[in-house]
Amino acid sequence: MTTQIKDKEAFQRLNFLYQAAHCVLAQNPENIQLARFYCHTLRTVSKRLVLRNDPSVKRTICKRCSALLISGVTTSIRQKKLHGQRQTIVRCLSCGLTKRFLNNAKYNLWCEQPEAQLEVHPRINQDKHSEHKKDPEQKRPSTSKGDDEKKQG
């Protein structure tokens, strides 16, 4: 069974912009402004069309300045232990924004859990809903024996 992807062209455009930003920085690390423009366009298009980006994409784009976060080029990455938990601290070198990610091997993102997938959930049968609306007798409570005897007597 093939599934139709809604807004396939829009996702292809977002993918192209993300790959273009990576290619620009790979060829010349000084082209940070062009990569930032591609990432800003990516974020603008996804907001305008109300499309959700994958968490791996969201984690590699700065929320403040839209720079592509690449270790050693546009970010500094540190490991720290706070309150007994190890954290990865990513700091954007352009604007100084820091992101903190917990290093928990057992943690799964919501989108990676099986409950989040639409294919797992059973589809609601429309016929079942229409039967309840058509047959009002079915919802009426049954009368007890005592009520029937009172009516006869």
Side-chain angles (χ1 to χ4, degrees):
M1 180 178 155
T2 59
T3 58
Q4 296 271 333
I5 298 174
K6 184 181 176 187
D7 297 324
K8 184 177 179 181
E9 293 83 18
F11 280 113
Q12 287 175 345
R13 181 178 180 194
L14 296 178
N15 185 21
F16 173 79
L17 290 169
Y18 187 70
Q19 288 182 14
H22 270 283
C23 288
V24 164
L25 281 180
Q27 288 177 356
N28 186 2
E30 294 177 4
N31 283 336
I32 296 173
Q33 292 298 325
L34 183 58
R36 182 180 289 156
F37 171 74
Y38 288 148
C39 291
H40 180 71
T41 306
L42 182 146
R43 290 180 65 204
T44 306
V45 169
S46 63
K47 282 182 185 178
R48 184 174 41 106
L49 297 176
V50 193
L51 299 174
R52 292 187 181 198
N53 290 328
D54 191 66
S56 62
V57 173
K58 286 168 52 173
R59 286 183 175 193
T60 57
I61 298 175
C62 181
K63 286 185 177 182
R64 187 182 294 167
C65 67
S66 297
L68 187 64
L69 301 177
I70 296 178
S71 177
V73 179
T74 58
T75 63
S76 65
I77 298 178
R78 300 284 183 255
Q79 295 286 326
K80 231 179 191 180
K81 190 171 186 179
L82 295 173
H83 307 293
Q85 293 181 336
R86 292 190 92 34
Q87 293 183 347
T88 302
I89 301 173
V90 180
R91 184 175 168 266
C92 178
L93 296 177
S94 300
C95 66
L97 181 76
T98 59
K99 291 183 174 188
R100 297 174 184 265
F101 301 108
L102 288 177
N103 290 347
N104 187 357
K106 296 178 182 178
Y107 181 75
N108 286 332
L109 296 173
W110 169 251
C111 64
E112 295 172 354
Q113 295 178 3
E115 301 93 40
Q117 304 300 323
L118 290 176
E119 291 86 26
V120 174
H121 296 293
R123 290 189 176 186
I124 298 172
N125 192 354
Q126 294 297 331
D127 297 336
K128 288 182 181 179
H129 290 292
S130 61
E131 286 176 10
H132 292 295
K133 291 179 182 176
K134 289 179 185 175
D135 192 13
E137 296 286 327
Q138 206 172 19
K139 290 186 178 181
R140 194 177 291 167
S142 61
T143 57
S144 64
K145 249 187 177 180
D147 291 339
D148 292 337
E149 290 174 2
K150 288 178 186 176
K151 288 180 184 176
Q152 290 176 356

